[in-house]
Every structure is written in C-alpha cells, then in structure tokens.
Amino acid sequence: MDEVLLRSLTPHVLGILVRRGADFAAAEDAVQDALLEAVRVWPADPPRDPKGWLVTVAWRKFLDATRADAARRRREDVVEVEPAPGSAPAVDDTLQLYFLCAHPSLTPSSSVALTLRAVGGLTTRQIAQAYLVPEATMAQRISRAKRTVSGVRFDQPGDVATVLRVLYLVFNEGYSGDVDLAAEAIRLTRQLAAAIDHPEVAGLLALMLLHHARRGARTAPDGSLVPLAEQDRGRWDTASIAEGIGILQAALARDRLGEYQAQAAIAALHADAPTAEETDWVQIVEWYDELVRLTGSPVVRLNRAVAVGEADGPRAGLAALAVLDDTLPRHTAVAAYFHERDGDLATAARLYVEAAEKATNLAERDHLTRQAARLNARPG
C-alpha cells in the first residue's frame, strides 16, 4: 500500500467533493472512509486510476451518509445523481482548500487546526505539539471546528494570514522529519506567491527555501541528527539559498516587515556565514528582538536566548533562559548546552538526560542521549 500516494491524493479528492456540493465535514468523513476502503482493497486489486477510484468511492460514501441523515435530506436533490466512474480532472485544489478551511465562521486557531488535520495530513498529536497544548484539547478544538462548518457553504474564503500560518506549520512538521511534506508546503507557497503580491507571502517562501536548503546536511548517513554548527555547509543547496535571499531582499525593500520576513532574515544570516564561527550572532539577536516585538511568542524568546548565549557567552544565555517558562520545548536542552559551554559538565549531562526524556521525536532523543553519554564517559 502506497501511503505517500494516498496522502498526496487526499486534498484533490476532498476538493472535488466540496465543489460537487458536499459540506466540508461530511466530505472529509467520506474521504477518510474511502481511504480505509483503499487500504483494504488495493493490495489485492490495485486500480488503474487511483484518483478516479477514490473520487467515486468517496462520493458514494458521502451519498450514503447524506441519505442516512434525516437532517441532511434537503440536499438530496443536488446529490441524487452519482457521477460515473472515470478519470478525475487534474486540477490542484489544495491551495483553494487551505483558503476554504480559513472560513470566517472559524477563529484563526481553529482554522489552522482543521486545515492541518483535514488537508495537511497531520495527526492530532502533531498539531497539539505544534500548539503546545494537550492532545485532548486539540482533539476538542478540531471537533468544534468541524461542527461549526458543518452545513456551511464555502463561498467566503478566509484570509491570507491564516493560510500562511497553516503552510508554515505544515512545513515545520515536514522539516522535522517528512521531507515530502516540506516540499509540498513550498510548492503551495510558490503558488500563493505567484497569485498574491504580499511581502509576508514572499517572506514565508524565502524562509522555507533557506531552511530546506540545509536538508541534505541535517542527518548523518546513519540517520542521526547533525546540529547546525556541525553541518557540512558544502552540502547546502546554494541555488535555494540564493533564490531565498533574493526573494527576501525584495520583500524587505517594501518596508512592511512581518514575522516571516524576520525569520527569513535570521535564516539568511546563518546561510551567509562561511563557518559556524563566523555567524553574525549580534545581528541575529537584533532580528529576534524584532520577532519578539511582532509575535511575543515564548518559542521566539527561547530562540532569542540561544542567540544571546552565542553572542555574549553561555552565562548571558542562561540568564536569558532563566526568565522563561522551563516547560517550553527544548528549554532543558538549551540549558544543558549552555551549562556545558560554561564548564559545568555534571549539570549539563543531567540536563541532557532530562531533555532526551522530553524529546518528541526519535532523532532528537538519540542526539541528546549521545550528548549525555559523551559527557558521562569523560575521564573522572
């Protein structure tokens, strides 16, 4: 069973059902039912036209659910005729669906959560981790969003800011593991940049390109994580870096600074440095100051503390870290790093172990565990 193929087809099938008159919540349920049917049937009898098969089965599932629900019988006059099986149109509805999920009837946070779950393919747990909330809380938020849009006609697409936030989170999830997901976020952001003249759209595209340019150097041959300072910069994609910097410079020249442009500026400073030692950390701190002003995000404040420690020394970094919530993701790992830099190896080793226990993915956990083992193995 080709799970990548199924995930890539999901937004297209969902878009077709919405265009044919299905409300979003019912369409999503029907597509999920069709995917389950595909998992059961395809291994023994793979279809010649997977997309057409999914559209046909999903539409049948939608019709069955509609007819069984007395509250939705008013739609039967427009869904009575089942479309004939066959090849589905090769229209990419994904970006349109991102806008439709950002419906005015939803709050921005609910729109983002619904889109990540229904179109982006992320799990509820992944979305909850991105928002720093319990999984149960996020599940309730997504359920409320589905109830809110159930029966709503999607003729009022949402705003660009919400769509950008979704694309940013989808890219971040892909960047932390699934390269295909990151590439899809870049593809959609390119489409958006071509359709909308907006400096923050350009800023987000630049940010994605600059981060994605390092993907080949982020892991060792054995799959272990390679920190930024230790990466082989010769493996970075210079064409993507050049494109990202060019897009960023054009956006900054418009003097309408936003958070994605500021983040891209930080990524560009890393990309410009020939070696880790030559990174302009003082300027990076200044950009983080702008980001704090723009967002007030606790994660941004944590990243600023890292930059302060690199610019002014580990004790300055620990002081900046001390005023932040120690439950923030990576807070313990950053503290371990600065304690090691400051020569307190015992504390650093202990904190690396704690950070490994809190890590949300295997690569990060293994990296932190190795750091603790390295310090614990030092001569007494």
Side-chain angles (χ1 to χ4, degrees):
M1 172 57 59
D2 191 338
E3 294 182 5
V4 174
L5 174 62
L6 284 177
R7 182 163 60 185
S8 68
L9 290 175
T10 297
H12 305 292
V13 177
L14 187 57
I16 290 170
L17 264 64
V18 169
R19 288 206 314 273
R20 287 178 175 173
D23 69 75
F24 188 89
E28 187 197 5
D29 289 342
V31 172
Q32 293 300 319
D33 288 343
L35 293 175
L36 290 174
E37 187 76 4
V39 170
R40 186 181 68 82
V41 172
W42 286 12
D45 185 20
R48 285 181 295 179
D49 178 13
K51 183 176 177 180
W53 189 98
L54 284 172
V55 169
T56 300
V57 173
W59 188 253
R60 286 173 180 163
K61 298 287 186 183
F62 168 71
L63 288 178
D64 290 343
T66 300
R67 291 167 181 148
D69 188 345
R72 297 178 183 176
R73 290 187 183 279
R74 64 182 181 279
R75 292 196 199 89
E76 288 191 353
D77 58 337
V78 295
V79 297
E80 190 64 37
V81 179
E82 178 183 327
S87 299
V91 177
D92 185 354
D93 301 291
T94 311
L95 190 58
Q96 180 188 9
L97 284 171
Y98 274 58
F99 273 98
L100 293 179
C101 284
H103 195 272
S105 63
L106 296 173
T107 65
S109 61
S110 295
S111 293
V112 171
L114 179 62
T115 312
L116 290 173
R117 182 70 186 91
V119 188
L122 274 64
T123 66
T124 302
R125 175 173 297 180
Q126 289 171 325
I127 302 168
Q129 289 171 349
Y131 270 87
L132 309 179
V133 299
E135 184 176 353
T137 300
M138 184 53 66
Q140 292 174 355
R141 184 179 300 177
I142 293 171
S143 295
R144 284 196 300 269
K146 288 182 180 180
R147 288 196 299 270
T148 299
V149 300
S150 180
V152 170
R153 301 301 301 181
F154 285 85
D155 55 358
Q156 293 180 278
D159 66 343
V160 174
T162 302
V163 174
L164 288 179
R165 182 64 178 166
V166 175
L167 290 169
Y168 174 76
L169 291 173
V170 169
F171 176 81
N172 280 349
E173 187 59 41
Y175 188 64
S176 67
D178 189 336
V179 172
D180 288 339
L181 195 58
E184 172 69 358
I186 292 174
R187 183 183 71 83
L188 293 172
T189 306
R190 283 191 187 279
Q191 288 186 8
L192 189 58
I196 299 176
D197 184 18
H198 192 299
E200 274 291 81
V201 176
L204 180 58
L205 178 57
L207 174 64
M208 290 179 174
L209 290 170
L210 290 165
H211 277 294
H212 208 52
R214 302 199 299 260
R215 71 190 185 276
R218 293 186 71 246
T219 54
D222 63 359
S224 59
L225 189 65
V226 180
L228 176 60
E230 301 172 19
Q231 289 177 15
D232 178 0
R233 299 184 178 220
R235 298 181 61 194
W236 290 0
D237 183 348
T238 55
S240 292
I241 290 172
E243 181 185 6
I245 290 176
I247 292 171
L248 172 63
Q249 289 174 336
L252 291 175
R254 300 177 65 175
D255 197 25
R256 290 169 55 194
L257 183 64
E259 62 174 299
Y260 300 118
Q261 295 169 74
Q263 289 190 56
I266 293 169
L269 287 168
H270 285 296
D272 271 343
T275 66
E277 293 73 24
E278 295 174 86
T279 303
D280 189 348
W281 286 106
V282 172
Q283 192 172 353
I284 288 175
V285 171
E286 293 174 354
W287 276 111
Y288 272 121
D289 288 338
E290 289 289 343
L291 261 178
V292 169
R293 180 182 63 80
L294 289 166
T295 69
S297 164
V299 174
V300 170
R301 293 181 188 276
L302 178 67
N303 290 334
R304 179 187 178 277
V306 174
V308 168
E310 297 289 359
D312 300 329
R315 293 191 180 183
L318 286 169
L321 200 62
V323 300
L324 302 178
D325 184 350
D326 61 8
T327 64
L328 282 171
R330 295 181 56 245
H331 187 285
T332 306
V334 173
Y337 170 71
F338 282 141
H339 276 292
E340 180 182 357
R341 288 269 312 276
D342 196 39
D344 187 352
L345 303 187
T347 300
R350 175 177 58 79
L351 289 173
Y352 276 130
V353 171
E354 290 182 17
E357 293 172 349
K358 298 175 182 177
T360 57
N361 67 72
L362 184 60
E364 183 181 1
R365 183 180 305 121
D366 288 347
H367 171 72
L368 293 168
T369 301
R370 282 193 296 271
Q371 298 305 306
R374 173 178 56 81
L375 294 182
N376 285 327
R378 71 192 187 282

